[in-house]
Amino acid sequence: MSFDLSRRLAAEFLGTLLLVATVVGSGIMAESLTKDVALALLGNTLPTGAILVVLITLFGPISGAHFNPAVSAVFALRGELPVREAALYAGVQVVGGIAGTLVAHGMFALPLIDMSLKARTGGAQWFSEGVATFGLLVTILAGVRFAKPSVPWLVGLYITAAYWFTASTSFANPAVAIARSLTNTFSGIRPADLPGFIFAQFVGAILGLFVTSWLLRPDPAAFPISEEAKL
């Protein structure tokens, strides 16, 4: 099945909205239920991984379920998404992410916009975001190549793991990072810290594209051309 651009953009908007609403909402819920930071992070991690499985399964057949400007940029560089459409995808992803923060705040009776004061900066944080986004793109591209039906689970499980093995708790998504700057809750990030995160995310995504393209390129010597084919 193929869907026109308006429906694909709507899927990207709704998917990013629900993703961010889950990230921010589960962070608010976790923080209200426990003062143990490890338990709160777990309460933030599991819903995020779970909703990714759901959203990619439902919206993947419509738009590809990018929900992430860095992912859309990589598919544009691969020639699988026109540049203009990739830019539109990124725009609706950012707007959808912001809407997701507003929805989460509304559900918990918080101010709809509450700029974050939570500092997330420094070389280790930026490097973590590069690693997290690199791994996400490798997971997506290799998953599409070898296990396409499993991509929702692969991405959900990867992000679940990356919450815990990266110092930054794996934003790995410029649209999500922007949306999280508007919440002064568990999952927030100061607006001033966004540039470093977003730059690292795009660098990690592009490195993931280059490495995966090389890694998955077949060896021509493994498929010798027969004499019949040469004729």
Side-chain angles (χ1 to χ4, degrees):
M1 298 177 65
S2 61
F3 295 84
D4 62 32
L5 181 59
S6 63
R7 288 174 174 79
R8 287 185 281 130
L9 293 176
E12 288 296 305
F13 173 84
L14 288 171
T16 314
L17 184 159
L18 291 169
L19 172 59
V20 171
T22 301
V23 172
V24 175
S26 64
I28 295 168
M29 177 66 81
E31 198 172 35
S32 70
L33 293 176
T34 180
K35 300 305 179 185
D36 186 315
V37 176
L39 279 178
L41 181 60
L42 184 62
N44 195 203
T45 302
L46 296 179
T48 302
I51 200 65
L52 279 167
V53 175
V54 173
L55 295 176
I56 296 170
T57 300
L58 294 180
F59 293 123
I62 301 174
S63 66
H66 297 180
F67 314 141
N68 186 332
V71 172
S72 297
V74 162
F75 277 90
L77 290 172
R78 284 166 57 92
E80 298 179 22
L81 185 68
V83 172
R84 173 180 172 273
E85 293 187 7
L88 291 171
Y89 267 44
V92 298
Q93 289 156 359
V94 170
V95 174
I98 293 170
T101 295
L102 302 183
V103 168
H105 284 183
M107 289 190 293
F108 288 91
L110 297 175
L112 294 184
I113 294 179
D114 189 12
M115 307 303 289
S116 179
L117 300 175
K118 188 164 188 176
R120 297 179 188 264
T121 190
Q125 294 274 316
W126 301 331
F127 181 60
S128 293
E129 279 303 292
V131 170
T133 315
F134 172 87
L136 175 62
L137 266 297
V138 171
T139 299
I140 292 170
L141 297 177
V144 167
R145 173 75 175 274
F146 297 122
K148 193 169 186 178
S150 300
V151 167
W153 286 97
L154 294 173
V155 172
L157 289 170
Y158 173 80
I159 291 297
T160 300
Y163 256 82
W164 288 84
F165 78 73
T166 63
S168 62
T169 67
S170 181
F171 286 40
N173 184 330
V176 170
I178 291 169
R180 290 171 66 168
S181 73
L182 305 178
T183 180
N184 193 30
T185 60
F186 183 79
S187 60
I189 175 175
R190 290 186 311 182
D193 297 334
L194 284 176
F197 267 57
I198 292 172
F199 177 76
Q201 289 158 359
F202 277 108
V203 170
I206 293 169
L207 287 174
L209 168 63
F210 287 148
V211 170
T212 309
S213 297
W214 172 80
L215 188 64
L216 302 183
R217 186 179 299 127
D219 181 359
F223 303 95
I225 300 174
S226 66
E227 292 301 320
E228 294 81 0
K230 291 179 181 179
L231 298 174

